């Protein structure tokens, strides 16, 4: 079972889509209700609610995707570091290995 928003955005499989829709609907409720309480104009409040939904959803979408990209970069760097650690462990290229005076004069 997959839920497709507007017929093309699969909310369950696309990263950050579910949270963006949820935060967008919350933003829509807050902006629309706040505008209605301030002005008592129903139609205008609905327009503000739609604008609040779009702006909140897009704002959180970009924020979440940026954090996801940063997380993937950190994971890639960590994976590469782990691979290098296994390659160089115990050799003279190991940065954590203490070099003695004899080894320093050889290199």
């Amino acid at each position: 079972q997959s839920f497709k928003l507007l017929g093309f955005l699969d909310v369950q499989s696309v990263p950050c889509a579910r949270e963006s829709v949820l935060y967008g609907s919350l933003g829509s409720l807050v902006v629309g209700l706040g505008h209605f309480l301030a002005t008592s104009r129903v139609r205008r409040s609905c327009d503000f609610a739609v604008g609040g939904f779009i702006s909140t959803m897009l704002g959180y979408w970009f924020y979440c995707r940026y954090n996801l990209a940063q997380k993937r970069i950190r994971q890639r760097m960590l994976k590469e570091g782990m691979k290098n650690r296994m390659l160089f462990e115990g050799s003279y290229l190991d940065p954590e290995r203490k070099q003695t005076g004899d080894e320093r004069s050889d290199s």
Side-chain angles (χ1 to χ4, degrees):
Q1 288 228 13
S2 67
F3 175 70
K4 292 193 180 214
L5 186 65
L6 301 175
F8 66 90
L9 180 63
D10 190 7
V11 176
Q12 289 185 350
S13 65
V14 176
C16 300
R18 179 179 176 268
E19 291 86 4
S20 296
V21 170
L22 289 175
Y23 281 117
S25 58
L26 181 65
S28 168
L29 180 71
V30 168
V31 170
L33 189 61
H35 190 268
F36 176 73
L37 290 176
T39 62
S40 297
R41 296 173 70 187
V42 176
R43 185 178 173 103
R44 184 78 177 211
S45 297
C46 290
D47 293 342
F48 269 79
V50 170
F53 173 78
I54 291 171
S55 61
T56 307
M57 186 179 76
L58 287 177
Y60 188 76
W61 171 270
F62 288 121
Y63 170 76
C64 183
R65 294 297 285 200
Y66 176 77
N67 284 339
L68 185 65
Q70 292 293 322
K71 182 178 168 184
R72 287 182 179 166
I73 289 170
R74 284 191 303 267
Q75 285 177 341
R76 193 176 328 124
M77 288 173 55
L78 184 63
K79 186 177 179 180
E80 188 70 27
M82 295 283 285
K83 187 174 88 173
N84 287 341
R85 167 130 177 135
M86 286 188 289
L87 282 175
F88 299 134
E89 191 171 21
S91 71
Y92 70 94
L93 295 173
D94 188 5
E96 292 183 7
R97 185 174 170 197
K98 302 274 188 207
Q99 292 184 348
T100 63
D102 295 335
E103 291 175 349
R104 281 190 214 141
S105 62
D106 291 339
S107 56

